[in-house]
Amino acid sequence: MDKLSKIQGSLQKANYQAVLVTSEYNRRYVSGFTGTSGVALLLPDKAYFITDFRYTEQAAKQAVGYEIVKHTGPIFETVNELLKKNGVTTLHFEESYVTVAEFKSMQQTFQAELAPIQGFFETMREVKTEAEMREIRTACEIADAAFSHIIKFMKVGMKEIEVSNELEFFMRRNGATSSSFDTIVASGLRSALPHGVASDKVIEEGDFVTMDYGCYYNGYCSDMTRTVAMGEPDSKLKEIYQITLDAQLKVIEALKPGITGIEADKIARDHIASYGYGEAFGHSLGHGIGLEIHEGPNLSMKSEKALVPGNVVTDEPGIYLPEIGGVRIEDDLLITETGNEVLIHSPKELIIL
């Protein structure tokens, strides 16, 4: 069964007459359309993609199984005609992605009753198809290659932003369409900043340098973090590196279907806390990746959802000590039927450049 048929089956099971998909990522997920303008209207037995003249040809090639409808006036008026044509009396919409202005326009235009939904498509997206996994694997391969390149490129005296730019340029040269988020390069005392986006700081001898980056390939993300030392680091930095690495490896050993986000997070958190650094690990263990760099399922102290085969999650514990420095190590993991598969293959033992 193809993806569209499965989605329509889920609509039927939920007893939804019709769903209007307006958000960028969900629109791409349900239709395959990569353009910037258009909406998908899904019924249990029909699927329409409404766009303007700029994208009708593209939509016809990408939105397989959809009837392509060109709108010349306001797009919601065209949607309303389709609702009337199909006798739709209740239209579900994505409440998290509709502005107040858009909602008012819907109320004024649609004769159908409006019903909000939340997380319907996002939950489907948590389990990746084989086709989606091919793109994620390639994105991870590009990120791995970027790490091999950057540890040969970076030198004491370079600015963090130079390293960040080189990472991004390398990934694009090797097939990435873009970075999947603002690249983090944080050195020295700045490595204690979990999200220390690259700055003009000069990398110095003895610095830990944390690099958190990833790329998009055909719409799907990778996300990895490695921390390296520029010359011999302080003994305290070496200590927290090993603790973080051991925590990260414990999670890899344990992750499998049925483990909840809370349980996964606790494995790393308890290990780090046992060495007295519990307060220095202030963020969640990980998150899902896919069309977005942060999507479900989460590995956190609040996530009760159990992992299932097809989930792709990050495993990224860290220790951050103000006025000393910090470390984070991150891989992307595919949950399999019996355990997990690590998708990032760059070395994790401390590298001293």
Side-chain angles (χ1 to χ4, degrees):
M1 184 184 294
D2 61 25
K3 184 192 289 185
L4 178 57
S5 296
K6 288 181 179 179
I7 292 170
Q8 289 177 312
S10 296
L11 260 65
Q12 193 167 20
K13 187 175 180 180
N15 201 28
Y16 293 163
Q17 269 193 303
V19 178
L20 183 66
V21 185
T22 55
S23 64
E24 175 188 357
Y25 293 109
N26 286 339
R27 181 183 64 198
R28 177 165 184 162
Y29 177 74
V30 301
S31 70
F33 179 73
T34 62
T36 59
S37 180
V39 299
L41 178 62
L42 289 164
L43 286 72
D45 59 347
K46 293 179 184 176
Y48 299 97
F49 195 89
I50 304 98
T51 188
D52 61 50
F53 76 98
R54 296 171 299 169
Y55 293 108
T56 50
E57 186 175 346
Q58 179 181 344
K61 291 179 180 178
Q62 293 182 326
V64 178
Y66 282 75
E67 180 180 333
I68 309 304
V69 179
K70 182 173 73 173
H71 73 91
T72 53
I75 192 167
F76 285 165
E77 289 185 2
T78 302
V79 171
N80 189 53
E81 290 303 312
L82 293 170
L83 296 176
K84 290 192 294 183
K85 175 182 175 182
N86 287 277
V88 174
T89 56
T90 302
L91 175 67
H92 287 80
F93 69 96
E94 304 171 284
E95 65 176 354
S96 296
Y97 306 102
V98 172
T99 66
V100 173
E102 287 170 334
F103 181 69
K104 288 180 178 178
S105 178
M106 288 179 177
Q107 286 182 311
Q108 293 168 1
T109 307
F110 299 153
Q111 295 176 10
E113 178 185 351
L114 293 171
I117 57 171
Q118 188 176 63
F120 184 75
F121 298 111
E122 289 84 351
T123 299
M124 293 183 197
R125 283 167 44 191
E126 291 181 6
V127 179
K128 271 58 182 181
T129 65
E130 286 299 322
E132 289 175 309
M133 280 309 308
R134 284 195 294 271
E135 313 298 14
I136 292 172
R137 288 181 194 279
T138 303
C140 289
E141 289 169 5
I142 294 171
D144 268 333
F147 182 72
S148 297
H149 170 74
I150 207 66
I151 59 176
K152 299 171 187 172
F153 171 85
M154 61 193 298
K155 300 286 188 296
V156 169
M158 284 185 176
K159 293 180 179 180
E160 293 171 350
I161 193 68
E162 293 179 76
V163 175
S164 172
N165 287 341
E166 184 64 21
L167 278 169
E168 296 190 14
F169 295 156
F170 179 91
M171 290 189 291
R172 285 175 180 263
R173 288 196 300 267
N174 285 272
T177 52
S178 68
S179 298
S180 43
F181 54 93
D182 289 339
T183 297
I184 292 169
V185 178
S187 63
L189 300 184
R190 292 189 77 251
S191 63
L193 302 175
H195 277 192
V197 174
S199 73
D200 285 331
K201 180 194 172 297
V202 173
I203 297 171
E204 302 175 53
E205 184 77 19
D207 278 358
F208 257 14
V209 184
T210 296
M211 296 171 286
D212 185 348
Y213 64 95
C215 69
Y216 269 108
Y217 179 80
N218 284 348
Y220 287 85
C221 298
S222 58
D223 183 4
M224 67 174 285
T225 307
R226 290 295 185 268
T227 300
V228 301
M230 303 302 291
E232 190 65 27
D234 180 85
S235 60
K236 176 66 73 173
L237 293 175
K238 282 186 172 181
E239 176 194 4
I240 64 173
Y241 189 97
Q242 191 61 49
I243 294 168
T244 302
L245 176 57
D246 289 343
Q248 206 257 358
L249 293 173
K250 281 179 177 290
V251 172
I252 291 174
E253 185 179 357
L255 277 198
K256 61 183 179 180
I259 286 184
T260 67
I262 292 172
E263 291 168 334
D265 182 275
K266 191 174 187 298
I267 293 168
R269 200 165 301 282
D270 285 355
H271 180 79
I272 290 172
S274 73
Y275 287 87
Y277 294 111
E279 295 299 316
F281 178 24
H283 57 73
S284 299
L285 172 65
H287 55 86
I289 64 168
L291 285 168
E292 293 182 85
I293 194 59
H294 289 101
E295 56 182 55
N298 291 317
L299 305 183
S300 74
M301 292 184 286
K302 298 179 180 179
S303 180
E304 298 178 350
K305 179 176 285 189
L307 296 174
V308 299
N311 291 156
V312 180
V313 295
T314 66
D315 169 16
E316 49 180 307
I319 298 176
Y320 312 93
L321 305 178
E323 304 307 318
I324 296 177
V327 56
R328 181 165 65 257
I329 302 167
E330 175 186 20
D331 290 327
D332 301 333
L333 279 63
L334 166 65
I335 304 303
T336 65
E337 294 289 342
T338 57
N340 69 79
E341 176 190 347
V342 181
L343 303 175
I344 297 293
H345 302 296
S346 296
K348 287 183 282 195
E349 294 296 332
L350 179 59
I351 294 174
I352 300 177
L353 301 176

